[in-house]
């Protein structure tokens, strides 16, 4: 029986692709690597930014760190709010709280921005803990974020009672590395191929199906 549920943010609770991809596009433009097709930049939703800039644009670490700086120039002012909760998310969170679950957010996004997003949409009060990465680049691996969440919830020794919910393979692998099962949502930014290959406990296609899983 699960006692606590950890949620990823981008692609799981909120549809944040527009703000993220436009901010990545802004950073690439400033670095002389323009990408007019926002669709190609969807791969930036979810994974740690530094790692993804290095992988996608073949940047060295120093250049990728500058890309993150440029990204935040736009994201912190505009991109943060080009975003919305998926329909049914708030109702689901209320149901889960009413049933007595401990709820937390475990995101690779800097905690500073996670709190801003949740505050903006009035969702902060549903969560016992809200954990993200550090602005200086620390705690970006999903497993590290999950470990910090477990520590704050005092559930380090009760991992069998904790479930992760996310939309990317990073969520599934990070959960597994931390000794947790993971339910993957197919309505986010991960491809069905990557989710299938990462072998989560279950793949759900909609918020309604996720609610039914916990019913």
């Amino acid at each position: 029986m699960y006692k606590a549920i950890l949620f990823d943010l981008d692609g799981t609770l909120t549809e944040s692709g527009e703000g993220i991809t436009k901010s990545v596009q802004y950073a690439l433009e400033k670095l002389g690597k323009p990408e007019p097709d926002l669709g190609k930049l969807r791969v930036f939703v979810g994974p740690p930014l530094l790692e993804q800039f290095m992988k996608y644009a073949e940047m060295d670490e120093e250049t990728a760190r500058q890309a993150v700086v440029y990204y935040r120039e736009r994201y912190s002012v505009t991109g943060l709010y080009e975003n919305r909760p998926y329909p049914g998310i708030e109702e689901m969170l209320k149901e889960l709280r009413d049933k007595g679950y401990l709820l937390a957010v475990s995101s690779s996004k800097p905690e500073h921005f996670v709190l801003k997003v949740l505050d903006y949409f009035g969702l902060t009060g549903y969560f016992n803990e809200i954990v993200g990465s550090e602005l200086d680049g620390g705690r970006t691996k999903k497993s590290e974020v999950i470990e910090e969440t477990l520590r704050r919830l005092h559930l380090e020794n009760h991992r069998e009672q904790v479930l992760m919910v996310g939309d990317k393979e990073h969520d599934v692998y990070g959960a597994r590395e931390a000794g947790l099962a993971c339910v993957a949502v197919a309505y986010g930014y991960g491809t069905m191929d990557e989710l299938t290959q990462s072998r989560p406990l279950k793949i759900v296609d909609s918020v309604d199906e996720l609610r039914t899983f916990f019913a």
Side-chain angles (χ1 to χ4, degrees):
M1 177 63 184
Y2 295 112
K3 177 179 180 180
I5 307 166
L6 316 185
F7 290 93
D8 176 49
L9 179 64
D10 298 321
T12 301
L13 297 177
T14 69
E15 190 174 359
S16 52
E18 179 184 355
I20 292 173
T21 55
K22 286 183 176 178
S23 299
V24 170
Q25 188 180 55
Y26 170 86
L28 292 174
E29 179 72 35
K30 292 203 72 163
L31 287 168
K33 295 176 177 286
E35 175 50 74
D37 185 356
L38 284 174
K40 292 181 180 178
L41 301 180
R42 283 169 61 94
V43 295
F44 280 86
V45 185
L49 269 179
L50 181 70
E51 170 189 309
Q52 200 63 15
F53 273 120
M54 292 173 71
K55 179 179 176 182
Y56 178 87
E58 299 180 346
M59 295 177 179
D60 58 36
E61 186 172 340
E62 183 180 354
T63 307
R65 288 191 183 281
Q66 185 58 54
V68 172
V69 171
Y70 288 145
Y71 170 90
R72 288 178 181 165
E73 279 182 1
R74 185 187 186 280
Y75 183 79
S76 62
V77 177
T78 305
L80 193 67
Y81 307 109
E82 294 169 326
N83 192 1
R84 62 177 181 172
Y86 287 103
I89 282 293
E90 185 167 6
E91 293 82 356
M92 180 189 70
L93 293 174
K94 184 178 186 305
E95 284 177 12
L96 294 174
R97 280 303 299 267
D98 289 347
K99 288 179 179 178
Y101 285 103
L102 294 174
L103 303 181
V105 173
S106 296
S107 171
S108 294
K109 182 192 292 295
E111 194 166 306
H112 170 77
F113 292 133
V114 176
L115 288 165
K116 278 196 164 188
V117 169
L118 294 173
D119 282 346
Y120 182 71
F121 292 118
L123 299 178
T124 306
Y126 292 107
F127 298 101
N128 299 84
E129 293 292 345
I130 295 167
V131 184
S133 61
E134 297 171 342
L135 277 169
D136 66 1
R139 201 169 64 222
T140 56
K141 280 187 63 179
K142 197 71 186 197
S143 58
E144 294 172 338
V145 176
I146 291 171
E147 289 292 348
E148 176 63 14
T149 311
L150 293 173
R151 186 190 69 77
R152 294 189 197 179
L153 290 171
H154 307 293
L155 290 172
E156 306 101 308
N157 298 320
H158 303 281
R159 294 168 193 255
E160 74 286 352
Q161 297 178 10
V162 186
L163 184 72
M164 181 73 205
V165 180
D167 70 310
K168 298 280 288 183
E169 62 182 1
H170 300 78
D171 299 306
V172 183
Y173 292 135
R176 186 171 296 131
E177 191 174 336
L180 308 187
C182 182
V183 169
V185 300
Y187 58 77
Y189 296 99
T191 66
M192 186 56 76
D193 279 349
E194 76 173 78
L195 294 180
T196 302
Q197 289 174 18
S198 63
R199 296 181 293 108
L201 176 67
K202 185 177 178 63
I203 299 175
V204 298
D205 292 323
S206 64
V207 175
D208 282 343
E209 195 175 335
L210 185 59
R211 289 170 77 175
T212 300
F213 177 85
F214 290 114

